[in-house]
Amino acid sequence: MKPGVHPDYHEINVIMTDGSTFKTRSTYGKPGETLRLDIDPKTHPAWTGQQRMIDQGGQVAKFNKRFAAIGAIKAKPAGDAPAKAAKPAAEKPAAEKLAAEKPAAEKKEKAAKK
């Protein structure tokens, strides 16, 4: 290795999300410094197989607020409880829907021609 080109490689302490610690060598910080992890293999969905929303610094809320005007996402005030989802009504089969919509469309066309 060329002298003076590479960063200092030293031992640091790493604290996992569950509080367990270990020592490793790294170029992070100064010798003996502590690195506290927010996400590690014990909690990350890629290793655990569980899906959950990880919101660091309100990024999800910021996204929802920014794109609420589009209409796909409705902005909710911070203190409100989540609304209960309404039960969907039993839908008609596709053939019945088309049969019901066809006469209505024909009436609109006739009215537009007058």
Side-chain angles (χ1 to χ4, degrees):
M1 291 192 337
K2 289 183 177 179
V5 176
H6 299 284
D8 181 35
Y9 191 63
H10 50 268
E11 195 171 273
I12 64 167
N13 297 317
V14 178
I15 301 176
M16 306 282 270
T17 56
D18 66 350
S20 61
T21 62
F22 66 94
K23 290 186 180 205
T24 188
R25 292 182 55 84
S26 174
T27 58
Y28 171 81
K30 297 177 180 152
E33 210 165 305
T34 301
L35 174 63
R36 186 174 298 275
L37 299 178
D38 291 331
I39 300 174
D40 63 22
K42 294 179 183 178
T43 60
H44 195 278
W47 287 280
T48 62
Q50 297 174 351
Q51 293 295 325
R52 67 177 191 169
M53 183 105 26
I54 300 173
D55 189 9
Q56 293 289 323
Q59 292 297 313
V60 173
K62 186 177 177 182
F63 175 87
N64 289 342
K65 182 179 177 185
R66 175 181 278 174
F67 294 105
I70 293 175
I73 300 171
K74 303 223 186 234
K76 294 187 276 184
D80 287 353
K84 292 183 179 180
K87 292 183 180 179
E91 293 190 23
K92 295 179 181 178
E96 288 182 26
K97 282 184 182 180
L98 290 175
E101 291 172 1
K102 191 173 182 179
E106 289 174 357
K107 287 179 185 178
K108 286 181 183 178
E109 286 178 18
K110 287 180 183 177
K113 289 180 181 178
K114 289 182 181 179

